[in-house]
Amino acid sequence: MSSTVVIAGGGPTGLMLAGELGLMGVRAVVVEERAEPATVSQGMGMHGRTLEVFRQRGLLDEAGVARLPVWPRTPFAMMWLDVASAGPEDQTYAFPQWRTEALLEARARELGAEIRRGARVAGLADHGDGVSVRIATAGGEESLEAAYVVGCDGEFSAVRSAAGIDFPAEGDTYYGMIGDVPLSDPEAAFSNGRFPGGMFAVLPLQPGAVRFMTVEFERERPPAGTPATGDELLDAVERITGERPDVTPGWVSRYGNHTRLATQYRKGRVFVAGDAAHVLFVSGTQGLNAGIQDAVNLGWKLAAAVQGWAPEGLLDTYHAERHPVGARLARHARAQMRLLHPFDCVGDVRELFGEFLRYPAVHRFLLEQSTDDVYAMPAGDDELLGRRLPDAADLLRDGQGLLVDSTAEPLDVAAWSDRLRLVTASATPARRVLVRPDGIVAYVGTDDEETRAAVRTWFGEPAVAGVSA
């Protein structure tokens, strides 16, 4: 079997996954259709919990995070949530997607990933013990053997289609445009908000420029591959507001469709992640952030399988853990659309929902719905289980798991030293906390045999010759 993992798509999800694999010594080949890196992008926001992952891998230190502007407010169906009481983990930070991609590509290359630009996955065949991948470039096609293939290639994923993974449409469809507009007068007034035909917003971008953003419900966007234009954006603004701004857009892009969720995140040796697994309504900046979390959850599990120490069923936990998150986010997206459209039918519901927003607990709940991922663990009810261990970022930079042991007799885990590190600590109450390579707490307890069983559940059988376990 080849030890290579092929990743279709060089956006944030694919590049994060390539870096995770490289950190753990597994070769990744990223196949990206764009010939050059992006220098502008639709995505502008990053959640605090995604920054936790970046700190965990040494991608951003505390000083770098401190310099990032914090969004002063976050929308839910164009009703503003109060973020004043939110912790840093539930804030949204201004961090453009193109900068995210540049950061992640540099790290992936540093860790040995191969980035093939101007290429795309044209087909694949899962043989059971490996996958043959057809890669198309301007010069023709070639075949590459891989241990696994991961589709991070977006809404119209060729990998998902080739694997036969269903991607059903749910809820209303919508069509949106984004465009960056040079503007000498930053105080220029535009009619923006909700309209019978959709939504229009003007967002600050940088000195001398703003971003126009439109949403039209139950309107199909042009076919894939049709170039987006400034006139297309201005036509949309005019349909929505009845006014055509006298501006000349620069960069423009389109987005939107139904909310979609893949029925399975794994099929044999083929996986999907990011927008290839879930397409969500634009509000709340969920797509990029969910994709990063997909990659971090999957990366160490694929590495374990390639390196031969993955316990039985480990790869299946990717779907078991991330698919419910995708389902929750899809429900969150559909709920927002139900509060926005049809325009003449949602007034009473919005008014009632506005009454709910008088309560700080409702704001907190809605913020956490976008960001707080908690995984079900096999046993136990400790509040740490299934969550990222707080204040452990510096301990996880090498990609190994941790056993944080504050008991009087720390457990010997030398037999797993190639994948698990013992960290002794002084804490009350005394206990053992098993942390997976992705930073998620998988076990909390004190019993020796229970701890060893948990280690085997997540880290497999020991591999160090001559060392007992």
Side-chain angles (χ1 to χ4, degrees), residues 320-337:
E321 292 176 351
R322 292 304 299 169
H323 192 269
V325 173
R328 188 192 77 226
L329 294 176
R331 183 188 66 182
H332 189 267
R334 292 193 302 271
Q336 290 189 72
M337 294 183 76

Side-chain angles (χ1 to χ4, degrees), residues 382 385 403-407 429-434 441-448 450-451:
D382 191 281
L385 283 170
L403 181 63
V404 182
D405 197 326
S406 59
T407 65
R431 59 186 178 177
R432 297 183 179 121
V433 179
L434 183 65
V441 175
Y443 169 79
V444 179
T446 58
D447 183 81
D448 289 2
E450 285 184 0
T451 306

Side-chain angles (χ1 to χ4, degrees), residues 62-410:
E62 294 295 335
V65 172
R67 290 194 296 268
L68 295 179
V70 180
W71 283 15
R73 54 185 185 171
T74 296
F76 183 87
M78 288 199 77
M79 289 183 280
W80 299 107
L81 302 181
D82 179 12
V83 299
S85 61
E89 69 279 2
D90 290 319
Q91 299 277 6
T92 299
Y93 298 78
F95 199 76
Q97 181 173 322
W98 68 267
R99 286 186 58 197
T100 303
E101 291 184 10
L103 179 70
L104 295 177
E105 180 169 344
R107 173 55 62 89
R109 290 185 183 276
E110 175 188 320
L111 293 170
E114 180 183 351
I115 315 292
R116 298 190 183 184
R117 290 194 169 274
R120 61 181 177 85
V121 171
L124 58 85
D126 186 343
H127 305 301
D129 59 353
V131 187
S132 298
V133 186
R134 287 192 296 114
I135 298 175
T137 66
E141 286 192 2
E142 64 174 298
S143 182
L144 185 63
E145 298 302 313
Y148 299 95
V149 176
V150 186
C152 304
D153 48 344
E155 178 180 359
F156 305 104
S157 170
V159 168
R160 187 190 61 240
S161 178
I165 296 174
D166 290 337
F167 201 47
E170 299 176 334
D172 297 327
T173 189
Y174 73 99
Y175 155 56
M177 292 285 296
I178 283 175
D180 294 346
V181 178
L183 200 65
S184 57
D185 178 10
E187 303 300 323
F190 298 95
S191 298
N192 63 84
R194 293 176 59 244
F195 299 86
M199 298 184 296
F200 172 57
V202 181
L203 310 172
L205 185 65
Q206 61 189 32
V210 296
R211 173 163 284 187
F212 281 9
M213 181 175 177
T214 68
V215 172
E216 296 176 89
F217 292 106
E218 295 186 22
R219 187 180 185 93
E220 298 294 334
R221 69 184 187 185
T226 306
T229 67
D231 280 341
E232 181 185 351
L233 171 62
L234 296 178
D235 289 345
V237 175
E238 187 171 13
R239 283 194 300 270
I240 294 168
T241 69
E243 303 171 352
R244 190 178 186 87
D246 185 16
V247 297
T248 303
W251 175 82
V252 293
S253 180
R254 66 172 70 91
Y255 61 95
N257 210 319
H258 291 89
T259 296
R260 294 179 183 268
L261 178 68
T263 55
Q264 53 194 127
Y265 280 20
R266 177 193 183 189
K267 189 171 184 180
R269 289 182 172 268
V270 180
F271 298 78
V272 291
D275 288 352
H278 39 72
V279 173
L280 307 165
F281 183 55
V282 66
S283 181
T285 66
Q286 297 169 340
L288 178 151
N289 293 279
I292 294 289
Q293 301 292 349
D294 289 344
V296 174
N297 184 287
L298 178 60
W300 72 277
K301 298 172 183 178
L302 281 179
V306 170
Q307 292 169 343
W309 59 263
E312 183 178 356
L314 181 66
L315 289 179
D316 290 330
T317 66
Y318 170 62
H319 172 90
E321 292 176 351
R322 292 304 299 169
H323 192 269
V325 173
R328 188 192 77 226
L329 294 176
R331 183 188 66 182
H332 189 267
R334 292 193 302 271
Q336 290 189 72
M337 294 183 76
R338 280 287 168 260
L339 286 166
L340 291 166
H341 175 76
F343 182 87
D344 56 354
C345 297
V346 299
D348 289 342
V349 178
R350 287 181 66 85
E351 185 175 348
L352 178 61
F353 196 85
E355 294 292 315
F356 293 156
L357 290 179
R358 292 188 304 172
Y359 300 97
V362 174
H363 290 257
R364 182 74 183 177
F365 173 79
L366 291 172
L367 287 168
E368 290 179 351
Q369 283 288 295
S370 291
T371 64
D372 192 15
D373 301 340
V374 183
Y375 305 135
M377 291 293 120
D381 57 3
D382 191 281
E383 64 180 11
L384 285 178
L385 283 170
R387 298 181 180 274
R388 188 161 284 109
L389 183 66
D391 304 320
D394 291 342
L395 299 174
L396 291 158
R397 293 190 177 188
D398 60 2
Q400 285 194 314
L402 304 172
L403 181 63
V404 182
D405 197 326
S406 59
T407 65
E409 297 183 10

